[in-house]
Amino acid sequence: SAVISQKPSRDICQRGTSLTIQCQVDSQVTMMFWYRQQPGQSLTLIATANQGSEATYESGFVIDKFPISRPNLTFSTLTVSNMSPEDSSIYLCSVEQGPPDTQYFGPGTRLTVL
Amino acid sequence: AQTVTQSQPEMSVQEAETVTLSCTYDTSESDYYLFWYKQPPSRQMILVIRQEAYKQQNATENRFSVNFQKAAKSFSLKISDSQLGDAAMYFCAYSQDSNYQLIWGAGTKLIIKP
């Protein structure tokens, strides 16, 4: 399976600021995904990022709040904009690789907003 | 809409013993995939095992095996010879064939008693 890294691994931010999370994969992948995991909860898909096209956002998530870039087949960024304490979560990227419909995840970014 | 239910918020087992985690799902589709993911305190989501719905044979990965009952829409995970490193949140997930979106259960926290 792909080796996936995320930066930063954790951060503490002030409300009203923005944070950009990077996701790097060691091989080319078509589909990358961004998830949010709120404390004690399961995962919620934010958006799907395919190289060469605009990200597709799930209901409840908008581009102005969570802009995503996908400049090539091994890299993506998620920005959490104008943060509030409600944005405190773990953010994970994943890629679809290998057996169909199988996703592998990065180590996650733990975000705390004060 | 598809749903995934994990009815056990928490399970505990003595080290070296066997434990079974339950998962049921609801779908009207015939082709789909089921997954168990493990999330230790390090927060990385790790794929444990994958089952294709068209395969009658239950998937196994070393000490991990599943009991897939398609008619009953049940997909339980058995962990044999439990080890301290198995302590984690375990999430059951569903994916419809050719549809990337994963539907997640709420998770089961597994505690291993030394």
Side-chain angles (χ1 to χ4, degrees), chain A residues 24-75:
Chain A
Q24 178 77 52
V25 190
D26 70 343
S27 57
Q28 294 184 340
V29 293
T30 301
M31 301 189 76
M32 295 181 74
F33 308 89
W34 286 99
Y35 289 86
R36 182 176 71 183
Q37 186 178 26
Q38 295 178 302
Q41 303 294 314
S42 185
L43 275 69
T44 301
L45 181 65
I46 297 172
T48 302
N50 290 340
Q51 196 268 337
S53 62
E54 295 289 324
T56 301
Y57 289 82
E58 298 299 310
S59 176
F61 298 96
V62 295
I63 188 171
D64 290 346
K65 175 68 175 177
F66 298 99
I68 288 171
S69 76
R70 182 79 199 273
N72 56 52
L73 290 172
T74 63
F75 187 78

Side-chain angles (χ1 to χ4, degrees), chain B residues 10-98:
Chain B
E10 186 175 296
M11 292 281 286
S12 63
V13 64
Q14 206 72 35
E15 189 178 7
E17 294 189 346
T18 295
V19 64
T20 299
L21 308 183
S22 300
C23 174
T24 59
Y25 58 95
D26 187 24
T27 184
S28 58
E29 304 295 329
S30 58
D31 292 327
Y32 50 88
Y33 303 91
L34 295 163
F35 308 87
W36 278 99
Y37 283 88
K38 166 186 176 181
Q39 188 178 38
S42 67
R43 75 179 172 265
Q44 177 151 17
M45 195 69 75
I46 302 166
L47 178 64
V48 175
I49 203 163
R50 173 181 180 273
Q51 175 79 42
E52 295 152 327
Y54 66 85
K55 289 187 176 179
Q56 292 186 339
Q57 186 174 6
N58 290 324
T60 63
E61 288 287 342
N62 301 313
R63 297 183 294 107
F64 298 87
S65 62
V66 297
N67 183 5
F68 173 48
Q69 301 289 330
K70 191 172 184 178
K73 298 179 182 176
S74 171
F75 182 60
S76 60
L77 175 70
K78 185 172 83 171
I79 306 174
S80 304
D81 185 26
S82 298
Q83 300 175 0
L84 294 177
D86 295 332
M89 285 291 293
Y90 285 81
F91 292 94
C92 179
Y94 163 102
S95 173
Q96 184 180 325
D97 189 20
S98 301

